[in-house]
Amino acid sequence: MPAKVTVMKFGGTSIEDQAAFERVAQIVASDKSERTVVVVSAMSRVTDALLSSLQMAAQGEIKTALDSIDEHLERHLQVASGLRASARADATLLIESVRREIGDLLNAVSFSRKPSARLQDNIASYGERLSACLLAAVLAERGLPASYVDARRCITTDEEHGKANPLPGLTTQRTCAALEPLLKAGRVPVMGGFIAATIRGVTTTLGRGSSDYTATLVSAALGASETQIWTDVNGVLTADPRLIKTARTVPLLSYGEAAELARFGAKVLHPKTIQPAAQHKIPVSIRNSRAPEKVGTLICARTEAAQGAVKAIAHQTGMTMVEVTSTPAFVANGFLHAIRRIAGRHQTALNIVATSEIGVSLASQETSALALIVDDLRQVGSVEVSSDRAIICCVGEGLQSAAGSASKIRSALRDVDSTLSWCSTSSNNFISVLDEAAVGTVISLLHHEIFENNAGIDERTDFRG
Ligand code: ASP
Ligand code: MG
C-alpha cells in the first residue's frame, strides 16, 4: 500500500515572524503522517508590499519603492538571524541576492513605466520563494530533513498572468516528478504556494490568496490522504469573527458548503481550493497555528450531519449590483445564455443572485471591467446599476429540501428585517442583497437568531466529539 501523504499549508500570518516560524516547526515536527509536504505563503503583508512597490516604481518613485521593500527584507533577515552560522550565512546571501534582483526589476520599471502583468507575477513570486527557503532552513535546524522545492517546477499553468489556470495533466506529472523522489527518501519538501510557471517556465501566479489552492493541487497530484490549512483562526467560523464576537467554529462542512462559503466571501479559504479536493475526495482540515490543540474544521464529502441547517453565514461587501431586464426578443432567444456569454467574454465572475422570466440580478466585485460589461449587457436588455451593496449568504447543505427547516429559516430571516428579500441560487444557500452599511447589524441579528436562538442549526453537527 502506498505511504500516506499529508500536505500542510501555512498562511502568511502563521509565519509572520521568528516566533511564528518556530510554532510552524513544532507543528510539522509533531505531525504523525508517514510523509509530509509543506506549502507556505509569503510572510504576512509581503505580497502587498511587492506589488505596491512595482506601482510606485512605475510612477517614477523609485526610492520610495526600494525603501518600502527594505522593511520586509529586514523581517526575513530577522528570521535568518535565529539560524546557526552556516544556514544563516546561506539565508543572508539569498536575501541579499533577492534584494539586488528586486532592485533591478524596480529600476527597469521606473524607466519603462510599464508594469506588465508578467512582471507583476515575477516580482510577487519573491515572497513565497523567500518564505519557503527560510522555512526549509528553520525545519532543517529542528532536525527535520526538509528540502526547498521551487513550486514553479511543479504547478504548471496557462499564460493568464495574475490568475493563471493550472494545467492538470502537466501539474500532476511535474509535481510527482519533483516531490516523489524526496518523499521516498524520507525528506519533507517545502514549497511556496501561489506561484507557478507556464509550460515554458515563465513565472505566473494563481491569484491573490491562492496558496490554499496550491495545497489542494499538490494533494490531488500526489493522491494525498489529507490537506491541512493552517491559519490564524480556529477553522471556518459561523460568521466573520471581526463582525461577530460570538462566532464559533463549524466542526464539519461538506465540500459543497465550503465552496459556497468561499465563493460568497468567507476569507478563510480561497474559492478554488475545494475543487481539487472534492474531485479527488481528499479531506481538508482548517486549523489554527496559534492553537494547534483545537480541532478546527473538517471539510469532506460526508454530509449526513445536520442536513438542512445553516452552518455558517458569509458576506461580501464592495459589491455592485447589475439588474438586467430583458427585451421581449431576448426572452425567447436565451437571455441567460447571452449573459453567461458576456461574463465569459470579460473573463469575470458575475454571481447571478436572482433570476426571473424577464430579468436577472448580477453581483460583481469587479471595478475595472464593469463599465465595459454593462455596455455589453445593454445589448440584451435595460440595465440598472447600484454600487455600495453587499451580499449575505447563509450556507447549509440541503437548506431548501429539508422538511420544515427552510420555512423555519425563512421566518427567522423575516424577523431580522422584513424588508429584505431572500432567494437561493442552489439548494445550499439563502442569499440577500442589501446596503453595505447595514451588513453589520443584519449579520448580528441573523447570527443571534440562527446560532444563539437555535433557529437553523442542529447541535448534532459536532459528531466528532
Ligand atoms: N502571498 C499570496 C497573497 O498574499 C498568496 C497567499 O497568501 O495565499 O495573495
Ligand atoms: Mg489565505
Side-chain angles (χ1 to χ4, degrees), residues 9-13 40-48 50-51 124 127-128 131 193-195 205-214 270:
K9 179 260 171 179
F10 296 90
T13 52
V40 70
S41 291
M43 288 176 77
S44 56
R45 300 183 284 115
V46 168
T47 311
D48 284 337
L50 287 165
L51 290 172
E128 270 72 9
S131 64
F194 174 61
I195 62 175
T205 60
L206 307 177
R208 294 306 306 272
S210 59
S211 293
D212 302 335
Y213 185 32
T214 304
H270 183 272

Side-chain angles (χ1 to χ4, degrees), residues 128-145:
E128 270 72 9
R129 286 155 66 185
L130 279 176
S131 64
C133 280
L134 271 181
L135 184 58
V138 170
L139 294 181
E141 285 223 343
R142 297 287 159 280
L144 285 154

